[in-house]
Amino acid sequence: AVEGGLGKRVGAFRHVELAEFFRRTYGPTGAFNAKPFEGSRSWAGARPEFRAIAYDSSGIAAHIGLLRRFIRIDGADLLVAELGLYGIRRDLEGLGLSSSFRVLLPVLRELGVPFGFGTVRPALHKHVARLGRGGLLVVKSGIRVRSTLHFALLDKPPTRIDDALVVVVPVGRPISDWPAGEMIDRNGAEL
C-alpha cells in the first residue's frame, strides 16, 4: 500500500513511526545520519510538502518526500520539486522497490514543476543510475551544492557546500532545458 497526498497532514503517531524508520534506515550509514530523527521528528532539514510512504505487513517499507522551492544555478533561479528523505527498509533492499519511485511522476506533474531535483552521496551512484536507465532521471556529477545548515551555530558558517551527485527528473521540460552550471544554491536546508 502507498500513502500520499498534497496538503494531507501526517498525524503525531505517524511522525513517531517515520522517525523510527529513518533512524533504522540511516543509522547504519553513521550515527550522525540518524541523529536528526531523534524523538518523533520525521524530517532532517526542510519539512516535506508531500510524502509517498509504502507499507507492507511489517510497517513502513519505503519513503520519499518532496518540497517545491526555487534553487539558483550559477545565478539563475529555477523552480523545482526537491526530492529527499529517500529510504527503503533494509530487508527490502535489492528487490526493485526503488522503481516505485515512478509513483511520484503524476504528483510532480500536478505540482507544475519543470524538474525534480535531489542529491545523493557518490556511494549511491550505481543504485540511482539504475533508475535512470529508462530516462526517468539523469545523474550529474561535478556540481557543488550549497545548503543552509539546519541549525544556526555561532562557531560555524550558516551554509555548507557538498560535492554530491545531482539527480534531475525532467517533468514539465526536457532535460536539455536544465541550466548548465557548477554551483547550485538550495536557498534553504536540504530536504
Side-chain angles (χ1 to χ4, degrees):
V2 175
E3 170 186 323
L6 293 172
K8 186 175 181 181
R9 293 186 181 265
V10 175
F13 173 74
R14 188 63 37 89
H15 285 295
V16 172
E17 185 181 21
L18 284 167
E20 178 63 25
F21 169 78
F22 289 127
R23 285 193 300 273
R24 288 184 182 166
T25 302
Y26 295 157
T29 66
F32 181 78
N33 295 328
K35 189 169 179 54
F37 305 103
E38 290 178 353
S40 62
R41 186 171 169 169
S42 67
W43 63 92
R47 190 171 181 168
E49 176 179 353
F50 173 87
R51 296 173 183 265
I53 307 168
Y55 293 91
D56 65 9
S57 60
S58 297
I60 296 175
H63 178 280
I64 191 166
L66 68 81
L67 173 70
R68 281 178 287 192
R69 68 168 16 145
F70 280 92
I71 60 174
R72 183 168 282 221
I73 303 176
D74 283 353
D77 290 330
L78 178 65
L79 176 65
V80 297
E82 182 172 358
L83 307 170
L85 292 172
Y86 172 71
I88 295 175
R89 204 173 60 229
R90 287 217 172 276
D91 63 315
L92 299 174
E93 289 177 355
L95 299 178
L97 190 59
S98 59
S99 64
S100 64
F101 173 75
R102 296 178 193 286
V103 75
L104 280 182
L105 288 177
V107 174
L108 293 171
R109 289 184 188 111
E110 182 181 339
L111 291 173
V113 296
F115 300 101
F117 155 81
T119 58
V120 296
R121 299 183 318 271
L124 293 175
H125 186 266
K126 287 182 182 178
H127 175 74
V128 174
R130 281 193 302 255
L131 290 171
R133 286 187 198 142
L136 176 66
L137 57 84
V138 174
V139 180
K140 296 181 170 283
S141 60
I143 301 172
R144 301 176 71 193
V145 181
R146 180 184 300 121
S147 305
T148 304
L149 293 178
H150 305 182
F151 301 101
L153 303 170
L154 296 176
D155 62 335
K156 302 226 184 286
T159 60
R160 74 165 198 261
I161 297 177
D162 295 311
D163 292 317
L165 296 171
V166 172
V167 176
V168 181
V169 180
V171 180
R173 291 174 34 197
I175 193 65
S176 59
D177 286 353
W178 179 263
E182 296 179 10
M183 173 65 83
I184 294 175
D185 191 334
R186 261 195 177 97
N187 292 318
E190 181 180 10
L191 180 60

